Amino acid sequence: MKSFSALVFIIFAAFLRTSAADSASDWIDPDTGHRVIRISSEPGSATLYFHQNAFTPKGDKMIFNTRDGIAAVDLKSLGRGVPKVEIVVSNASALAVSFKTPEVYFRRRDGLFAADINTHAVRKVTGARVLAVNCDETIGVNTIYAEDPSGKTPEPAPRKILPQRERMFGNRTNLTAAEELAARKEDNLSRRLANPRCMAFVFTDLKTGRSTTNGYQYAWLNHLQFSPTDPHLLLYCHEGTWHEVDRIWTIRTDGSQQRLMHKRAMDMEIAGHEFWSADGKTIWFDLQTPRSEKFWLAGVNIKSGKEIRYPLERDWWSVHYNISRDGKLFAGDGGDPGQVAFAKDGMWINLFRPQRNGTITRERLVNMSKQDYHGSNGEPNVRITPDNKWVVFRSNMSGPTQVYAVSVAKSESVPTK
């Protein structure tokens, strides 16, 4: 009798755990009316960084990382029961999905590899270190510390960088804990700006293995992103404290046409977290004029240099933004009160729709009040599925990070388990 009672307890406990898991895997957000589903089943799963391509060229699958390896989800299965997920490569972490073929790139100690998302066949691409691959899969890029052997890149004079508490808040003495933390974070970033080292790009031909080093600059080179349509155009940034640097740059793979894409026009202006439009015509970015005061979702046309700016309210600001393939929708992942916007009600997954009159509307999709934006994988890193039906993000709202999707359309009924 005692053993029977124990068995009943075990079965009941298992039922409760299953019910709890089910309730956290498919629900209607009561604050927004949008359906949210959990894509991943393995705790610790995470989407790729916001500007890394995660979708196959056909738009039928999306890659994300799990503790077991690189996983692919069938996007047609979203909202139709348990999402269809399979491991493509074990013990690996995705770099990005190819723009041309259904392959996912990943790095190992001995070089760059690619795995077919459908067959799972793996091939070695190159033994070189690669941080990004171009759109026709012919060139990879890396950065190194190196002095310009031609002598044409003179070392700049050392800069005096003020303590960021003073720089950001002047003589104010009554800073909040969030403001103090923000100043300390910027101090860490600004140290490399006072006396920067020279860096350069290493472009590697993925067919021949031949490498070329060019683009020497006394700057911290980061956020490397090839154009999705021009195989010889690279977007990158001068990393650091955003209000101290002109951040957004492009360069050709032969080292020519190094170009600043947005020049700051006022003290404390910032521009950053840049990303490409799917057609390769526009670079979008977070713009603040000045920092923490006036907010824009801005874009610059790569040919004309003409800018477009959509004004945002403080609570609409997001750590990262992203754009749909057709350019009709933007998504944002919000931010807690300690982020640069210091928003009081900014913890939401947001959907933005540009209007013909130059404004933009915002719709809240998911309440992220339980999100730890500073925790492990704390930045949700939103992306919009190619069919514009879902916004995908990662979240630690229920503990370990998982991958979720929220429906763009509002739900009319409670999801069926």
Side-chain angles (χ1 to χ4, degrees):
M1 188 71 179
K2 189 174 182 179
S3 61
F4 176 77
S5 299
L7 178 61
V8 170
F9 175 79
I10 291 172
I11 293 174
F12 181 68
F15 171 78
L16 289 179
R17 286 196 299 271
T18 302
S19 298
D22 285 346
S23 66
S25 63
D26 196 337
W27 73 96
I28 306 298
D29 188 305
D31 297 302
T32 70
H34 288 266
R35 183 182 179 186
V36 185
I37 63 174
R38 193 181 71 226
I39 294 175
S40 59
S41 59
E42 179 71 19
S45 299
T47 55
L48 275 59
Y49 193 48
F50 80 106
H51 67 62
Q52 294 170 299
N53 182 42
F55 300 113
T56 54
K58 290 183 178 180
D60 59 336
K61 293 184 178 181
M62 184 194 76
I63 287 295
F64 63 95
N65 291 317
T66 75
R67 291 177 179 175
D68 293 330
I70 301 171
V73 58
D74 181 351
L75 294 176
K76 294 180 181 178
S77 71
L78 298 188
R80 300 178 180 180
V82 179
K84 296 180 180 179
V85 178
E86 60 181 356
I87 297 297
V88 178
V89 184
S90 299
N91 301 315
S93 180
L95 179 64
V97 176
S98 165
F99 286 107
K100 186 178 178 182
T101 59
E103 288 189 314
V104 56
Y105 287 100
F106 62 97
R107 296 191 299 263
R108 285 182 171 156
R109 290 183 179 180
D110 53 340
L112 178 71
F113 293 78
D116 189 296
I117 295 171
N118 297 315
T119 68
H120 303 180
V122 174
R123 65 183 178 91
K124 186 173 183 178
V125 179
T126 178
R129 183 170 182 265
V130 171
L131 299 177
V133 177
N134 70 344
C135 63
D136 69 359
E137 304 179 78
T138 59
I139 300 173
V141 66
N142 179 30
T143 59
I144 59 171
Y145 288 103
E147 301 290 334
D148 186 351
S150 72
K152 296 180 180 179
T153 308
E155 183 175 358
R159 292 177 59 184
K160 182 180 180 180
I161 304 294
L162 294 175
Q164 292 302 307
R165 193 182 190 283
E166 175 185 348
R167 189 80 172 88
M168 295 163 61
F169 303 108
N171 296 323
R172 275 185 54 197
T173 58
N174 59 335
L175 298 189
T176 65
E179 290 171 335
E180 291 281 8
L181 181 62
R184 289 197 297 271
K185 178 181 177 181
E186 297 302 331
D187 272 326
N188 290 334
L189 288 171
S190 67
R191 290 191 183 101
R192 294 179 64 166
L193 299 178
N195 192 18
R197 296 174 61 186
C198 191
M199 295 186 72
F201 299 108
V202 179
F203 292 103
T204 299
D205 187 313
L206 298 181
K207 292 183 179 180
T208 67
R210 184 178 299 114
S211 294
T212 302
T213 302
N214 58 43
Y216 295 91
Q217 299 156 69
Y218 280 89
W220 176 3
L221 307 182
N222 202 6
H223 269 225
L224 310 185
Q225 307 169 56
F226 277 106
S227 162
T229 55
D230 184 340
H232 295 286
L233 184 61
L234 179 72
L235 167 65
Y236 67 100
C237 80
H238 283 187
E239 189 62 272
T241 307
W242 290 10
H243 54 262
E244 307 282 12
V245 297
D246 283 321
R247 176 181 167 101
I248 305 169
W249 298 78
T250 57
I251 194 170
R252 306 295 295 179
T253 55
D254 62 3
S256 66
Q257 299 180 41
Q258 180 185 349
R259 182 181 174 195
L260 176 63
M261 299 307 300
H262 172 81
K263 184 172 179 61
R264 293 175 302 126
M266 66 176 67
D267 187 40
M268 295 302 293
E269 177 178 340
I270 69 172
H273 278 166
E274 55 287 333
F275 60 99
W276 286 104
S277 61
D279 60 11
K281 295 180 180 180
T282 306
I283 296 168
W284 294 96
F285 55 97
D286 168 19
L287 175 65
Q288 298 175 34
T289 57
R291 174 192 172 107
S292 306
E293 292 187 28
K294 197 168 185 178
F295 306 90
W296 312 84
L297 175 53
V300 56
N301 183 283
I302 63 165
K303 288 188 177 180
S304 68
K306 183 178 179 180
E307 289 194 7
I308 182 172
R309 299 182 180 185
Y310 294 117
L312 302 174
E313 295 182 17
R314 182 180 299 274
D315 286 341
W316 299 10
W317 177 85
S318 295
V319 178
H320 306 106
Y321 303 95
N322 223 319
I323 190 170
S324 60
R325 278 191 177 180
D326 62 9
K328 294 181 179 180
L329 300 172
F330 290 92
D333 52 13
D336 64 30
Q339 305 287 343
V340 64
F342 301 112
K344 294 182 179 179
D345 186 21
M347 298 177 70
W348 301 88
I349 298 296
N350 298 305
L351 186 72
F352 301 101
R353 292 183 173 91
Q355 305 298 300
R356 291 183 178 180
N357 64 359
T359 64
I360 197 168
T361 64
R362 174 250 200 166
E363 182 178 4
R364 300 185 302 187
L365 299 183
V366 186
N367 186 331
M368 300 292 284
S369 59
K370 295 182 180 179
Q371 176 78 6
D372 178 3
Y373 279 82
H374 297 277
S376 176
N377 284 317
E379 298 174 348
N381 283 277
V382 289
R383 65 195 72 237
I384 303 169
T385 57
D387 60 8
N388 285 7
K389 292 183 178 180
W390 301 89
V391 173
V392 181
F393 61 100
R394 63 193 186 197
S395 176
N396 55 32
M397 67 173 85
S398 298
T401 308
Q402 297 274 15
V403 176
Y404 298 88
V406 56
S407 176
V408 169
K410 280 196 174 183
S411 296
E412 298 179 357
S413 61
V414 176
T416 302
K417 298 297 183 188

